[in-house]
Amino acid sequence: MTDSINNTPHPPTAGGLPIDVVIMAAGKGTRMKSRLPKVLHRLAGRALLAHVMGTAARLNARSVTVITGHGATEVEAAVAHWDCATGQSILNFVRQEPQLGTGHAVQQAVPVLPDDGIALVLNGDVPLIAEGTLRDLIDDCAGRHLALLTVDMPDPAGYGRIVRGEGGGAGVQAIVEHKDATLAQRALTEIYTGVLAVPNVQLKTWLARLRNDNVQGEFYLTDIVEFAVADGATVQARCIADRVQVDGVNSPVQLAELERAFQRRNALQLMAQGVRLADPARLDVRGTLTCAQDVDIDVNCVFEGQVDLGEGVRIGANCVIANARIAAGAVIHPFTHIDGEKLGVQVGEGALIGPFARLRPGANLGAEVHIGNFVEVKNSTLAKGAKANHLAYLGDATVGERVNYGAGSITANYDGANKHRTVIEDDVHVGSNCVLVAPITIGQGGTVGAGSTLTKSTPAGALSIERAKQLQLTNWARPQKVSQKKVD
Ligand code: UD1
Ligand code: CA
């Protein structure tokens, strides 16, 4: 399957060589104990694999090849239509069935790898690898060398060890897998991260020489290091200090730890731009949050999709806000839920929302609108200064300027088959506990008496009331409790 990741042409890399990214994503992820393939588990709201593919796209790779195996159909379907803002890459999927090791995995990509260019091998379950690190590794490769990304790990058990020649900083001789390593080799703390860059031509010749005569009976990609050394090629090892970039996800605990690491970095970046976070440890951004100057965000807020906060916006504690634009000076009080989904939500300048408000897709609120507790707004436009302060529903409504919409009032927008619009013109006052049965228009400046169910449009300036006349029974005697006294 081939798909174009997006539309802008890819500029050549620094050395003029195209980059072909190969992402290994065939493994089972047994320790996740999940039906979902591991690389589809989410970090910061996106699949692990989508993070890696996004980074690949930012490198302007010529191609991105994803090696799938376990849950292949599901993985391919999940990312086939994935797009990214920059770059252009051809997206290939190749299957690895059965999974006979990392070398065997990359062998499956050989048919789609041209001879020119640099192969950059990544792991689908290592989501936070940074673009800059990969660019450095590609520079190390320079179209001639085998470049390995390594990290120093105090507890290196389980990883492939970087074995160097005699005398400390000497050249890399091999990567020895933990299970194949001698005791002396197991004492080495520099480990291979699973990321390498290598010229395609050399990769292909070395892959063809892989054997599985090791403890695990697997084809190890890491064996290409020995072939490179034997062929007199230079092997570069770039040891980075930042472990988070190369940490893989194998278990729910590791996933949660990486999520926190990601969120902390994101929070620090926001604060560096001047955003005031009550507590950087209690913020979750699952998408893109942009903030103008002097934004305040209290604890336990979750932002999803694309959220834009204007100058001076304040977000109270425990708000969940997705796909929304909040204009300057607006205040979102605690426990407010805003979800714009595809239509989006707009909150105007100086608006006051919540506490306990719910804004749904297509809520479009003008300047200085007030939406109070337990008010739900869906697919409705509220003009400047309109207010719905308590316990109300506005669905498929067009609400004029300065309208006051009373407590407990609702628009009955659904007749069981179709949705209809309610129009409430400027300066209308809707009393408490009214039902406006759509389609209906309440004329400008009109008043709707409390407790009315209106089914007909009303003229401008009118008072409309629909309710039984009040009755008074004077000197009415309340029922008395029947005496329980026993009669002898
Ligand atoms: C591999 C490296 C090891 C390194 C470690 C870093 C080899 C032989 N060893 O270890 O040196 O320290 O990564 O994490 O390469 N995969 C497939 N098909 C397979 C096997 C694996 O696609 O047949 C994928 C997995 O889904 C995963 C990645 O390759 O994304 C790494 O596999 P994993 O089993 O975690 O790594 P090791 O082989 O143990
Ligand atoms: Ca009534």
Side-chain angles (χ1 to χ4, degrees):
M1 198 189 306
T2 298
D3 202 352
S4 177
I5 288 183
N6 47 52
N7 303 317
T8 36
H10 60 88
T13 65
L17 283 172
I19 299 164
D20 296 300
V21 171
V22 176
I23 304 175
M24 293 188 288
K28 189 162 185 202
T30 313
R31 280 194 280 154
M32 288 304 291
K33 298 185 178 164
S34 169
R35 279 186 213 282
L36 190 67
K38 179 165 77 172
V39 292
L40 296 186
H41 280 273
R42 287 175 179 270
L43 183 131
R46 289 164 76 206
L48 297 175
L49 180 56
H51 282 271
V52 182
M53 291 172 73
T55 309
R58 288 198 297 280
L59 293 169
N60 299 309
R62 167 173 62 187
S63 68
V64 174
T65 300
V66 182
I67 299 157
T68 61
H70 277 282
T73 327
E74 209 179 331
V75 172
E76 291 166 8
V79 295
H81 299 290
W82 170 84
D83 61 352
C84 188
T86 57
Q88 181 192 44
S89 309
I90 301 296
L91 178 58
N92 305 305
F93 292 111
V94 296
R95 298 243 175 133
Q96 185 203 15
E97 278 157 355
Q99 288 83 41
L100 304 178
T102 52
H104 179 250
V106 178
Q107 280 171 350
Q108 311 311 306
V110 166
V112 298
L113 280 185
D115 281 338
D116 65 328
I118 296 171
L120 178 65
V121 176
L122 303 175
N123 281 313
D125 58 1
V126 180
L128 300 184
I129 186 76
E131 181 190 336
T133 303
L134 296 178
R135 286 194 190 279
D136 289 344
L137 198 69
I138 288 161
D139 288 347
D140 290 348
C141 167
R144 296 192 301 281
H145 313 306
L146 170 57
L148 308 172
L149 190 66
T150 71
V151 72
D152 203 59
M153 230 176 241
D155 175 19
Y159 292 97
R161 306 299 205 283
I162 302 296
V163 178
R164 292 173 181 272
E166 297 299 303
V172 177
Q173 297 298 306
I175 298 174
V176 180
E177 291 307 304
H178 181 89
K179 287 185 179 149
D180 299 285
T182 62
L183 278 178
Q185 287 168 335
R186 286 185 184 184
L188 298 169
T189 55
E190 188 185 3
I191 63 105
Y192 170 56
T193 60
V195 176
L196 61 79
V198 59
N200 289 353
V201 178
Q202 269 119 317
L203 177 66
K204 288 183 186 185
T205 54
W206 293 331
L207 284 175
R209 281 152 67 178
L210 289 180
R211 292 152 50 98
N212 64 349
D213 51 352
N214 50 56
V215 171
Q216 302 184 80
E218 285 183 7
F219 295 93
Y220 292 163
L221 178 61
T222 44
D223 283 351
I224 69 171
V225 175
E226 281 176 76
F227 303 150
V229 172
D231 288 358
T234 306
V235 182
Q236 307 264 9
R238 171 173 290 270
C239 189
I240 60 164
D242 184 15
R243 273 225 15 214
V244 165
Q245 284 190 40
V246 295
D247 271 345
V249 172
N250 296 297
S251 66
V253 169
Q254 288 173 346
L255 180 59
E257 281 169 359
L258 267 198
E259 175 80 32
R260 287 333 307 159
F262 174 91
Q263 293 298 345
R264 175 155 183 85
R265 283 178 185 202
N266 195 62
L268 293 178
Q269 268 175 27
L270 287 167
M271 290 191 293
Q273 292 159 27
V275 178
R276 292 186 293 268
L277 300 176
D279 182 357
R282 283 182 287 171
L283 169 78
D284 286 82
V285 179
R286 301 172 189 154
T288 309
L289 174 65
T290 66
C291 297
Q293 207 167 23
D294 284 310
V295 165
D296 268 291
I297 301 174
D298 209 334
V299 298
N300 293 333
C301 290
V302 179
F303 296 90
E304 293 173 356
Q306 176 74 44
V307 176
D308 300 312
L309 305 181
E311 190 172 333
V313 163
R314 289 190 294 149
I315 310 288
N318 300 297
C319 290
V320 177
I321 301 180
N323 298 307
R325 296 177 69 95
I326 317 281
V331 179
I332 313 295
H333 289 295
F335 296 98
T336 291
H337 186 221
I338 299 178
D339 190 357
E341 291 178 29
K342 290 195 178 93
L343 287 174
V345 163
Q346 316 263 354
V347 174
E349 279 190 25
L352 304 179
I353 312 296
F356 298 101
R358 181 170 185 214
L359 304 183
R360 293 175 50 206
N364 190 342
L365 314 183
E368 288 150 47
V369 162
H370 293 187
I371 298 295
N373 42 215
F374 307 106
V375 174
E376 174 183 352
V377 182
K378 184 219 77 169
N379 194 31
S380 293
T381 302
L382 277 73
K384 187 175 177 187
K387 294 185 173 76
N389 273 327
H390 328 268
L391 304 155
Y393 176 58
L394 281 162
D396 304 306
T398 304
V399 179
E401 293 188 7
R402 298 170 299 278
V403 163
N404 199 312
Y405 192 75
S409 289
I410 67 155
T411 54
N413 56 328
Y414 185 53
D415 62 12
N418 298 297
K419 300 269 171 71
H420 302 282
R421 260 202 114 67
T422 298
V423 177
I424 304 173
E425 293 181 349
D426 290 349
D427 300 298
V428 162
H429 187 111
V430 177
S432 296
N433 208 28
C434 293
V435 180
L436 307 180
V437 181
I440 192 168
T441 297
I442 310 299
Q444 186 177 344
T447 301
V448 182
S452 298
T453 294
L454 298 191
T455 53
K456 292 196 281 278
S457 293
T458 67
L463 167 66
S464 311
I465 306 180
E466 181 282 330
R467 63 186 179 218
K469 275 228 163 70
Q470 189 168 331
L471 265 176
Q472 256 93 235
L473 302 183
T474 48
N475 301 321
W476 180 65
R478 242 187 240 164
Q480 300 293 308
K481 227 176 188 165
V482 178
S483 169
Q484 297 295 309
K485 224 176 166 189
K486 259 195 176 167
V487 183
D488 290 31

mmCIF file with all atom_site columns, all heavy atoms in Angstrom, residues 450-453 466-468, ligand 2:
data_model
loop_
_atom_site.group_PDB
_atom_site.id
_atom_site.type_symbol
_atom_site.label_atom_id
_atom_site.label_alt_id
_atom_site.label_comp_id
_atom_site.label_asym_id
_atom_site.label_entity_id
_atom_site.label_seq_id
_atom_site.pdbx_PDB_ins_code
_atom_site.Cartn_x
_atom_site.Cartn_y
_atom_site.Cartn_z
_atom_site.occupancy
_atom_site.B_iso_or_equiv
_atom_site.pdbx_formal_charge
_atom_site.auth_seq_id
_atom_site.auth_comp_id
_atom_site.auth_asym_id
_atom_site.auth_atom_id
_atom_site.pdbx_PDB_model_num
ATOM   1  N  N   . ALA A 1 450 ? -42.540 33.140 32.545 1.00 0.00 ? 450 ALA A N   1
ATOM   2  C  CA  . ALA A 1 450 ? -41.993 31.924 33.149 1.00 0.00 ? 450 ALA A CA  1
ATOM   3  C  C   . ALA A 1 450 ? -42.957 30.759 32.978 1.00 0.00 ? 450 ALA A C   1
ATOM   4  O  O   . ALA A 1 450 ? -44.180 30.939 32.995 1.00 0.00 ? 450 ALA A O   1
ATOM   5  C  CB  . ALA A 1 450 ? -41.718 32.166 34.628 1.00 0.00 ? 450 ALA A CB  1
ATOM   6  N  N   . GLY A 1 451 ? -42.412 29.583 32.755 1.00 0.00 ? 451 GLY A N   1
ATOM   7  C  CA  . GLY A 1 451 ? -43.228 28.373 32.690 1.00 0.00 ? 451 GLY A CA  1
ATOM   8  C  C   . GLY A 1 451 ? -44.000 28.204 31.402 1.00 0.00 ? 451 GLY A C   1
ATOM   9  O  O   . GLY A 1 451 ? -44.868 27.343 31.321 1.00 0.00 ? 451 GLY A O   1
ATOM   10 N  N   . SER A 1 452 ? -43.695 28.971 30.365 1.00 0.00 ? 452 SER A N   1
ATOM   11 C  CA  . SER A 1 452 ? -44.453 28.878 29.115 1.00 0.00 ? 452 SER A CA  1
ATOM   12 C  C   . SER A 1 452 ? -43.857 27.844 28.171 1.00 0.00 ? 452 SER A C   1
ATOM   13 O  O   . SER A 1 452 ? -42.632 27.742 28.048 1.00 0.00 ? 452 SER A O   1
ATOM   14 C  CB  . SER A 1 452 ? -44.456 30.229 28.395 1.00 0.00 ? 452 SER A CB  1
ATOM   15 O  OG  . SER A 1 452 ? -45.087 31.202 29.196 1.00 0.00 ? 452 SER A OG  1
ATOM   16 N  N   . THR A 1 453 ? -44.751 27.113 27.496 1.00 0.00 ? 453 THR A N   1
ATOM   17 C  CA  . THR A 1 453 ? -44.313 26.257 26.396 1.00 0.00 ? 453 THR A CA  1
ATOM   18 C  C   . THR A 1 453 ? -44.815 26.911 25.125 1.00 0.00 ? 453 THR A C   1
ATOM   19 O  O   . THR A 1 453 ? -46.020 26.952 24.876 1.00 0.00 ? 453 THR A O   1
ATOM   20 C  CB  . THR A 1 453 ? -44.914 24.853 26.537 1.00 0.00 ? 453 THR A CB  1
ATOM   21 O  OG1 . THR A 1 453 ? -44.364 24.249 27.711 1.00 0.00 ? 453 THR A OG1 1
ATOM   22 C  CG2 . THR A 1 453 ? -44.562 23.993 25.334 1.00 0.00 ? 453 THR A CG2 1
ATOM   23 N  N   . GLU A 1 466 ? -47.840 31.187 28.213 1.00 0.00 ? 466 GLU A N   1
ATOM   24 C  CA  . GLU A 1 466 ? -48.655 30.004 27.975 1.00 0.00 ? 466 GLU A CA  1
ATOM   25 C  C   . GLU A 1 466 ? -48.649 29.248 29.282 1.00 0.00 ? 466 GLU A C   1
ATOM   26 O  O   . GLU A 1 466 ? -47.677 28.585 29.607 1.00 0.00 ? 466 GLU A O   1
ATOM   27 C  CB  . GLU A 1 466 ? -48.061 29.164 26.840 1.00 0.00 ? 466 GLU A CB  1
ATOM   28 C  CG  . GLU A 1 466 ? -48.850 27.921 26.489 1.00 0.00 ? 466 GLU A CG  1
ATOM   29 C  CD  . GLU A 1 466 ? -48.644 26.772 27.455 1.00 0.00 ? 466 GLU A CD  1
ATOM   30 O  OE1 . GLU A 1 466 ? -47.547 26.667 28.043 1.00 0.00 ? 466 GLU A OE1 1
ATOM   31 O  OE2 . GLU A 1 466 ? -49.582 25.976 27.622 1.00 0.00 ? 466 GLU A OE2 1
ATOM   32 N  N   . ARG A 1 467 ? -49.729 29.462 30.087 1.00 0.00 ? 467 ARG A N   1
ATOM   33 C  CA  . ARG A 1 467 ? -49.839 28.676 31.313 1.00 0.00 ? 467 ARG A CA  1
ATOM   34 C  C   . ARG A 1 467 ? -51.240 28.885 31.890 1.00 0.00 ? 467 ARG A C   1
ATOM   35 O  O   . ARG A 1 467 ? -51.918 29.859 31.567 1.00 0.00 ? 467 ARG A O   1
ATOM   36 C  CB  . ARG A 1 467 ? -48.766 29.066 32.333 1.00 0.00 ? 467 ARG A CB  1
ATOM   37 C  CG  . ARG A 1 467 ? -48.855 30.472 32.829 1.00 0.00 ? 467 ARG A CG  1
ATOM   38 C  CD  . ARG A 1 467 ? -47.650 30.807 33.723 1.00 0.00 ? 467 ARG A CD  1
ATOM   39 N  NE  . ARG A 1 467 ? -47.758 32.178 34.173 1.00 0.00 ? 467 ARG A NE  1
ATOM   40 C  CZ  . ARG A 1 467 ? -46.739 33.006 34.312 1.00 0.00 ? 467 ARG A CZ  1
ATOM   41 N  NH1 . ARG A 1 467 ? -45.520 32.630 34.016 1.00 0.00 ? 467 ARG A NH1 1
ATOM   42 N  NH2 . ARG A 1 467 ? -46.936 34.234 34.748 1.00 0.00 ? 467 ARG A NH2 1
ATOM   43 N  N   . ALA A 1 468 ? -51.683 27.951 32.696 1.00 0.00 ? 468 ALA A N   1
ATOM   44 C  CA  . ALA A 1 468 ? -53.008 28.059 33.301 1.00 0.00 ? 468 ALA A CA  1
ATOM   45 C  C   . ALA A 1 468 ? -53.043 29.250 34.252 1.00 0.00 ? 468 ALA A C   1
ATOM   46 O  O   . ALA A 1 468 ? -52.022 29.593 34.847 1.00 0.00 ? 468 ALA A O   1
ATOM   47 C  CB  . ALA A 1 468 ? -53.341 26.772 34.046 1.00 0.00 ? 468 ALA A CB  1
HETATM 48 CA CA  . CA  B 2 .   ? -47.059 25.466 30.835 1.00 0.00 ? 2   CA  B CA  1
#
